[in-house]
Amino acid sequence: MKKKSHPLLGIHSVLMMIFIYVPILLIIIYSFNNTRLSGDWEGFTFDWYASLMTDDHVLEALMNSLTVGIVSTIVATLLGTVGALSLRGLGRRWKGSMNGLMYLPVIIPDIIMGLSLLVLFNQMHIPLGKATVIIAHITFSMSYVYVVVTARLAGMGKQLEEAAADLGATPWQTFRHVTWPQIFPGVISGALIAFTMSLDDFMVSFFVAGPSSTTLPIYIYGQVKRGISPEINALCTLLIVVSVVLILLAQFFLNRGKGQKKHKMLPI
C-alpha cells in the first residue's frame, strides 16, 4: 500500500519553491519593464536588452568572461579527465585519500578559495589580471570535471577494457575504441558544468581579478552598488538563461551516455 505524504510536506515544498524562484522571476519580469522605476510597471519593452549590445563596459566584461571561461574550461577538462583516469587504478586506500583532495575545491567556501589564491599570487609576486582569474577558475573547475568523469568510469566497469586486452588490443587502442566513447558524454557534461561555474563565479574572481579583468558577475556587483537598473535586470536574465541552458545540456549528455551504455549491454 502506497504511503501518503503529510499535507504539510507539500505546503513546505511549495513555499520553498516560491522563496527560491520568485525573486529570480521578478528580475526577469522587470528586465522588460518600460521604465527605470523598479516598483512600477509601465509596459513591455526590449530596449534594455538592446542597450546592452551598445554598452562598451558590458561588452568588455562579456569578452573577459568568455575568454576566462573558454580557456579555463579547456584546461580544467583536460586535467580533470586525466586525473580521473590516472586515479582509477589506485588501491582503495590511496584512492579514497586522493578523492578527498580532489573534492576539496568543491567543498571549500568560495571566500576561502579566493582569499587563499590571492595570498598565493601575492607571495609569488604574480600581478592580478586575466591570467590569475583563469588559474583560479581552473583550480575549482577541474574538480567538477573530475567528479563527473569519475562517476562515468565507476559506472562503466572494467569488463569491456579487459575483453579488449584479451583480444590483443594495445592500451592506446583500448582507450580510443572502448574507454573514450564510454566516458565522452561525461567529459562533455563536465566541461559544460565547468564553463557554467566559470561564467557565474563572482567570489573567487572578485579576489583575484585585476583592474582590466572585470568579468560579468563583478561588473554586475559594481553596478548594483549604485542601484538596480533595468539594464542590470536584463544582464542578469541573460546570465540565468545561459546558465540554465548549459546545465540542461550537461544533463542531456549525461542521460545520453547512460542510454548508450544500456544499449551496448543489450544481448545481440
Side-chain angles (χ1 to χ4, degrees):
M1 183 177 179
K2 187 176 180 180
K3 186 177 179 180
K4 295 182 178 180
S5 60
H6 196 279
L8 289 179
L9 292 177
I11 296 174
H12 172 267
S13 299
V14 172
L15 291 176
M16 183 177 66
M17 293 299 175
I18 291 174
F19 180 78
I20 294 174
Y21 292 109
V22 165
I24 297 176
L25 184 62
L26 287 176
I27 289 177
I28 296 173
I29 291 174
Y30 279 106
S31 70
F32 298 101
N33 191 12
N34 193 21
T35 179
R36 287 191 170 274
L37 301 177
S38 299
D40 299 324
W41 179 262
E42 297 292 340
F44 190 88
T45 182
F46 283 103
D47 290 346
W48 312 120
Y49 290 90
S51 66
L52 289 178
M53 301 299 105
T54 59
D55 191 324
D56 293 336
H57 297 292
V58 172
L59 295 178
E60 181 183 358
L62 174 61
M63 290 305 300
N64 287 337
S65 289
L66 290 177
T67 301
V68 171
I70 293 172
V71 176
S72 64
T73 297
I74 292 173
V75 179
T77 301
L78 178 61
L79 294 177
T81 302
V82 172
L85 291 169
S86 301
L87 298 180
R88 187 187 184 197
L90 289 179
R92 182 172 298 179
R93 176 183 175 184
W94 290 104
K95 190 174 182 178
S97 301
M98 295 304 296
N99 276 337
L101 290 175
M102 292 299 296
Y103 273 81
L104 274 180
V106 179
I107 301 171
I108 293 177
D110 289 345
I111 190 171
I112 303 299
M113 175 72 73
L115 182 59
S116 62
L117 289 170
L118 175 62
V119 172
L120 175 65
F121 294 142
N122 285 336
Q123 290 295 322
M124 298 180 67
H125 303 289
I126 300 176
L128 298 182
K130 199 174 297 183
T132 55
V133 179
I134 291 174
I135 294 171
H137 284 209
I138 292 171
T139 303
F140 65 78
S141 298
M142 179 175 61
S143 295
Y144 289 96
V145 179
Y146 172 84
V147 170
V148 176
V149 177
T150 298
R152 286 291 303 163
L153 287 170
M156 170 182 145
K158 295 185 178 181
Q159 296 87 349
L160 293 176
E161 294 169 308
E162 291 172 352
D166 290 339
L167 293 173
T170 64
W172 168 247
Q173 289 174 328
T174 301
F175 173 78
R176 180 182 176 186
H177 298 289
V178 179
T179 308
W180 178 250
Q182 292 287 316
I183 68 171
F184 179 73
V187 173
I188 296 299
S189 178
L192 289 171
I193 293 173
F195 184 76
T196 305
M197 298 300 297
S198 175
L199 193 65
D200 295 341
D201 178 74
F202 165 75
M203 188 61 68
V204 177
S205 301
F206 181 77
F207 279 95
V208 300
S212 61
S213 55
T214 300
T215 60
L216 279 176
I218 296 177
Y219 174 81
I220 292 173
Y221 173 74
Q223 293 299 309
V224 165
K225 290 193 296 184
R226 305 176 186 175
I228 300 177
S229 64
E231 290 92 347
I232 294 301
N233 289 334
L235 189 56
C236 291
T237 300
L238 292 175
L239 276 176
I240 291 169
V241 171
V242 171
S243 298
V244 170
V245 170
L246 289 174
I247 292 299
L248 289 176
L249 281 174
Q251 189 62 46
F252 167 78
F253 278 103
L254 278 179
N255 293 336
R256 183 169 175 264
K258 293 177 182 178
Q260 286 179 345
K261 180 184 174 184
K262 292 179 181 179
H263 177 72
K264 290 181 178 181
M265 292 178 64
L266 288 175
I268 298 176

